[in-house]
Amino acid sequence: MALRRDPGVDSLAIAPGNAGTAAIADQYDVDIASGDAVARLAKEIQADLVVIGPEVPLVLGVADAVRAAGIACFGPTREAARIEGSKSFAKDVMTAAGVRTAGSELIDNPAHLDAALDRFGPPAGDPAWVVKDDGLAAGKGVVVTADRAAARAHAAALLDAGHPVLLETFLDGPEVSLLCLVDGETVVPMLPAQDFKRVGDGDAGPNTGGMGACAPLPWLPDQTVTRIVDDIVKPVAAELVRRGSPFSGVLYAGLAITSAGPAVVEFNCRFGDPETQAVLALLESPLGQLLHAVATGRLAEQPALRWRDGAAVTVVLAAENYPGRPRVGDVIVGAEADGVLHAGTARGSDGSVVSAGGRVLSIVGTGEDLAAARDQAYRVIKSIRLPGSHFRSDIALAAAENRIELPGTRQKES
């Protein structure tokens, strides 16, 4: 929708699309993991700009194929996309750049697992074990638990599947997502956001790809955002340039605001949802022009980003059993309401909108503050009917009620 609002965008083509995007763009059934297929489609429709959204095609080098075809592309190269595709690679980049992150150890041999677990988690003074899949896991490859047996089971399952495991020290403090447009060493931050990974209220249950988000963050001081850009994102961008793989696209920094300052939890190499839906709902600058400037190496020439006043809250409506194997094929009633963005949807044979994935819809509310934005989002989501669906009722609630406190401070930020 943000691209559709840009007066400089004449037409949109989306592959593969869903029931919602069909109303605003031409859709093509193309294998988005194939660089040849995407480049061929871009040439056929004479695209001026290709924007690659998901992480899998970026990690597979689809952006490289599009650029090789002579078409401007928003999205990093295969090599630069390793910042998300390999957590051990990201750790190496951060170490070289002098960026704060959690202590970690890569385990690729089950025989070394128990000794490594003994070096992490509560016995070492941390409140929990942090166990991560070293590769892509759609936001669901992380387990944070005080239960050693659960930590071991997750790690052992990953190792049995041939996936290296990253053990990390636990980072205290609230989490922040900062999406930055990056063109080599030029870094332009967007509004800070916060997402909610756990499936249930009160951060209960397993991790998901994200159950909601909000922006901006009234409890986060402006100087902290400046510190994140200067001490984390810019050094990482510079290190990638030094390695001969400059980043071009959006670099998503997932951070914990610890008692010692911001520290990196993870990097993503693309716009991450559901934070993106909240952030872009407040963007007034023409998005298409910004993305084209990044893709053509002209980000430094662009004026400062313009934002509308107020706040935005995104609440995800998930299918039954998500984040497990979701139930699909159910008819959705109310999906055409204002502020509803489609994700896992399709058109049934009778033309109805049906569920086709785990995270089915994102409902975006805006208002003068987080409380008003929450009210709007929840008013809409409660009008939607999808059998067995579920959503969190506490997205942005703590921030709206001024209950988020930074570590090491006695007074809550306002």
Side-chain angles (χ1 to χ4, degrees):
M1 292 302 290
L3 282 171
R4 176 54 72 190
R5 293 197 304 266
D6 187 335
V9 176
D10 294 326
S11 63
L12 286 174
I14 296 178
N18 56 42
T21 56
I24 62 171
D26 297 325
Q27 298 198 152
Y28 295 86
D29 186 14
V30 168
D31 179 5
I32 62 171
S34 167
D36 290 341
V38 174
R40 185 165 52 249
L41 172 63
K43 292 181 76 170
E44 288 175 359
I45 65 175
Q46 299 182 326
D48 297 304
L49 174 67
V50 173
V51 179
I52 301 178
E55 64 273 28
V56 170
L58 290 169
V59 169
L60 292 176
V62 172
D64 304 70
V66 172
R67 291 191 181 94
I71 301 168
C73 183
F74 181 88
T77 63
R78 180 201 299 263
E79 184 63 22
R82 291 178 68 200
I83 198 77
E84 178 173 359
S86 168
K87 294 177 179 63
S88 55
F89 172 81
K91 291 290 187 182
D92 184 62
V93 170
M94 286 186 274
T95 297
V99 167
R100 285 192 71 242
T101 185
S104 64
E105 183 174 343
L106 185 69
I107 310 299
D108 58 8
N109 186 333
H112 301 157
L113 177 58
D114 285 305
L117 285 170
D118 289 341
R119 291 190 289 273
F120 286 81
D126 286 329
W129 280 275
V130 180
V131 184
K132 295 183 176 182
D133 188 333
D134 184 52
L136 297 177
K140 294 177 283 186
V142 180
V143 164
V144 181
T145 178
D147 184 341
R148 188 183 192 281
R152 191 187 190 287
H154 181 63
L158 292 173
L159 290 167
D160 287 346
H163 295 215
V165 170
L166 199 72
L167 298 183
E168 287 189 348
T169 54
F170 180 81
L171 295 173
D172 65 315
E175 292 194 7
V176 170
S177 302
L178 186 65
L179 287 72
C180 296
L181 299 174
V182 176
D183 170 15
E185 294 195 44
T186 301
V187 174
V188 176
M190 306 188 89
L191 291 178
Q194 185 175 41
D195 81 327
F196 299 80
K197 288 290 187 190
R198 302 279 187 154
V199 70
D201 285 2
D203 291 329
N207 274 349
T208 71
M211 294 298 294
C214 61
L217 307 179
W219 51 268
L220 187 70
D222 290 342
Q223 59 266 33
T224 302
V225 176
T226 301
R227 184 177 176 185
I228 292 168
V229 173
D230 292 343
D231 295 350
I232 293 175
V233 184
K234 286 184 177 180
V236 165
E239 174 61 18
L240 290 172
V241 170
R242 189 192 68 78
R243 294 178 179 222
S245 51
F247 195 95
S248 174
V250 63
L251 187 58
Y252 165 129
L255 310 129
I257 309 303
T258 74
S259 53
V264 176
V265 175
E266 65 177 355
F267 277 111
N268 289 342
C269 64
R270 36 78 194 189
F271 282 111
D273 65 294
E275 299 98 318
T276 297
Q277 288 93 327
V279 170
L280 293 187
L282 300 173
L283 180 68
E284 288 192 338
S285 298
L287 179 62
Q289 295 176 42
L290 281 171
L291 303 187
H292 191 264
V294 173
T296 55
R298 297 183 296 104
L299 179 60
E301 303 170 13
Q302 302 306 302
L305 299 186
R306 293 181 288 108
W307 301 95
R308 59 186 287 190
D309 293 334
V313 170
T314 302
V315 183
V316 170
L317 183 73
E320 182 177 350
N321 199 45
Y322 180 78
R325 185 174 181 177
R327 171 175 159 174
V328 298
D330 290 310
V331 173
I332 307 167
V333 176
E336 296 79 14
D338 289 342
V340 176
L341 302 179
H342 291 235
T345 67
R347 287 285 177 185
S349 58
D350 60 355
S352 61
V353 178
V354 299
S355 58
R359 292 185 297 163
V360 181
L361 302 170
S362 291
I363 292 79
V364 183
T366 57
E368 62 180 4
D369 55 23
L370 287 175
R374 271 178 47 82
D375 287 345
Q376 181 177 334
Y378 281 107
R379 184 167 57 251
V380 173
I381 202 169
K382 289 174 182 177
S383 71
I384 298 170
R385 298 290 177 265
L386 171 62
S389 63
H390 60 97
F391 59 89
R392 282 184 58 161
S393 66
D394 63 346
I395 302 300
L397 180 60
E401 294 180 346
N402 195 30
R403 290 190 284 110
I404 296 182
E405 190 170 350
L406 296 177
T409 64
R410 289 191 174 183
Q411 295 186 346
K412 296 166 185 162
E413 300 294 334
S414 60

